[in-house]
Amino acid sequence: RELPPPDKLDGGQLEHGARTGFAINVAHRLLRCDSCHKDGRFTGASINCVGCHQADYQRTSQPNHLAAGFPVT
């Protein structure tokens, strides 16, 4: 679904989970919107962890996420 840019939102707030189906956790709330929404695109951002964290997932060793079969969604 197409979303307005953050500066066009009421007070800069957005009920991200309700509007997009992807709730933003505390760690991600600290990021700027354009960390995920490249080039001002507010559609098409990955909702899977590996969309941004693939390298982290692959190199994590305590425990090894890949060997343990941790999901990537």
Side-chain angles (χ1 to χ4, degrees):
R1 156 177 1 172
E2 188 67 28
L3 297 173
D7 63 338
K8 300 295 184 200
L9 297 171
D10 181 27
Q13 299 300 310
L14 170 65
E15 290 297 325
H16 200 279
R19 298 271 314 263
T20 68
F22 181 71
I24 297 180
N25 65 25
V26 174
H28 290 101
R29 285 191 186 278
L30 300 175
L31 300 173
R32 291 174 40 99
C33 296
D34 60 5
S35 295
C36 296
H37 298 286
K38 307 294 183 198
D39 300 321
R41 285 185 33 235
F42 290 87
T43 58
S46 176
I47 61 170
N48 295 321
C49 299
V50 298
C52 293
H53 300 286
Q54 176 104 28
D56 299 327
Y57 176 89
Q58 291 175 329
R59 75 173 163 256
T60 300
S61 60
Q62 296 296 324
N64 184 311
H65 287 26
L66 190 58
F70 285 21
V72 295
T73 59

